[in-house]
Amino acid sequence: MKKIETIDVTCTACGACASICPKGCISMIENIDGFYYPSIDTSLCVDCNLCETTCHIIAPFEEKNVTLDNFYMYWQSDESKRQSSTSGGAFLLFAQYVLDRGGAVFGSMYNGDKERLEVRSSDDCGLEPLKKSKYVESFVDKSFKVIRKELQEGRYVLYCGTPCQAAGLRKYLGVTKTNQDRFILIDFACHGVPTNKMLTHFKRKFETKTKKITNIEFRYKDYKDSKSLWHTVTMKLYFSNGKSKVIHSNSYYYYYYKTFVESVNLRRSCYNCFQVEHSEADITVGDFWDIIKYKPELDDNKGVSFIKFHNDKWKDVLQAINPNDFLQELPKGTVVDPYKKKSKLPKLPERERYLSLLRKYGCYAGSRKYFGTFTIFRNTYFSQFKNLLKPILYKTIWRNRTR
């Protein structure tokens, strides 16, 4: 058995092994809980061991001595662009830079036909489906090969994904000796990736034989609706009949998002993620939640991004931004490092308990048995009220301090 098939506890499903295999004998297959793992067709394998050489788990990167770690807070001045972004639109800033130079942007989009998140190129689907956070594991497949081909042809390429996907892609491009001068690698502040099996169970409640979900928009924002702003938890479903449905936190918080926050439905490797201390990306982006402590008067509940540069390769992109966009360098220590979180390892027993309920009862009944029906009813409405009240309280405290 190849090592690549024995690292199930630490495998991140980055797909580098499937992309590097010269015989195409490695496929990414869903396990019983809906997470992807490599499967090898031994009849085609020639024991070249390229899969192991390219695996960022089996052959990890050398320790970095220096990182730049410059932080900025940012948001788009164009209200429509900011509204259509999860936070302030930082991803869009770098994506547009690449597209303006004839390049290609790679990210994840929801495929309603295959009921899964997939890595796709802006050449195939445009930029819009690649925007925004998606709280589910993405099917990477052999997209790294496509990215390498674009770079070999001299195009600018941007890839945005989880820190472990970014590490896998960096390793793959290094092993294949691909020129990365025109390559922007972005990862995001990542809590972990939930199982696609749960999302599929969750969405089926809203479907009929003639009305299927074609797209799912997590963290949906609508500036005209106070229940669909940055600090709220809102989802929007798009259907095959052209209609859509907005679901606020009281309808889905405990049946999807709460299990993510509680770390009971994540991929096994997320519980001992080495990216807590390292990032192979050029840039990290994410929600600047610390704004409510740093400058609460700037928090208009429309979304603020942080941008973290790990090197100075692409810092000149900031010189090309719209002069009306908001950009401010942050003092050291303002942003709590998005990867240095409390260890998730103590949550492993709860993960197994929840996934066993998911296997047996599905998303809704499983969540009720895990959290308790009364707890869900009581806390759902309290949680929604607390999310709306939090920014108001911080602003009040800040005003009192400045008097």
Side-chain angles (χ1 to χ4, degrees), residues 275-294:
Q275 299 297 154
V276 169
E277 302 294 338
H278 306 281
S279 174
E280 294 302 324
D282 300 307
I283 302 158
T284 295
V285 297
D287 294 281
F288 182 35
W289 297 120
D290 292 311
I291 192 173
I292 58 178
K293 299 176 183 177
Y294 175 59

Side-chain angles (χ1 to χ4, degrees), residues 30-209:
E30 272 190 331
N31 71 357
I32 188 174
D33 292 316
F35 294 108
Y36 294 102
Y37 285 90
S39 176
I40 300 177
D41 184 343
T42 54
S43 67
L44 298 175
C45 180
V46 294
D47 291 320
C48 67
N49 292 325
L50 275 173
C51 57
E52 297 176 8
T53 304
T54 311
C55 177
H56 71 103
I57 299 298
I58 296 174
F61 292 91
E62 293 182 3
E63 188 85 18
K64 288 183 180 179
N65 294 321
V66 180
T67 56
L68 191 62
D69 289 356
N70 286 151
F71 284 94
Y72 295 81
M73 68 170 169
Y74 171 82
W75 67 73
Q76 296 267 350
S77 57
D78 186 317
E79 289 282 84
S80 63
K81 291 179 179 178
R82 191 181 179 193
Q83 180 175 274
S84 66
S85 302
T86 300
S87 47
F91 164 73
L92 184 57
L93 166 68
F94 295 99
Q96 197 60 56
Y97 178 89
V98 168
L99 293 178
D100 289 346
R101 286 153 182 77
V105 175
F106 288 79
S108 293
M109 67 164 285
Y110 188 74
N111 185 329
D113 293 332
K114 294 186 178 180
E115 297 185 303
R116 68 186 183 191
L117 202 65
E118 298 178 341
V119 173
R120 299 287 291 275
S121 165
S122 57
D123 288 349
D124 301 325
C125 62
L127 186 59
E128 200 63 29
L130 306 180
K131 293 161 62 176
K132 307 206 72 171
S133 300
K134 286 102 173 175
Y135 295 89
V136 66
E137 184 179 47
S138 179
F139 181 64
V140 181
D141 197 24
K142 300 174 184 178
S143 58
F144 291 0
K145 294 175 71 172
V146 182
I147 292 171
R148 180 176 182 241
K149 181 176 179 294
E150 299 292 352
L151 288 170
Q152 287 176 320
E153 291 176 357
R155 296 184 74 187
Y156 280 87
V157 174
L158 180 149
Y159 177 85
C160 183
T162 64
C164 53
Q165 289 172 347
L169 178 52
R170 184 74 84 189
K171 190 76 173 180
Y172 170 81
L173 294 176
V175 170
T176 55
K177 296 180 170 55
T178 305
N179 188 309
Q180 300 181 48
D181 289 347
R182 294 188 169 187
F183 180 52
I184 303 179
L185 183 56
I186 298 179
D187 64 13
F188 49 79
C190 181
H191 179 73
V193 289
T195 165
N196 183 57
K197 183 177 180 181
M198 182 176 180
L199 179 63
T200 302
H201 283 192
F202 172 81
K203 78 181 188 69
R204 293 247 170 100
K205 176 184 177 181
F206 302 94
E207 294 181 316
T208 65
K209 289 183 179 179

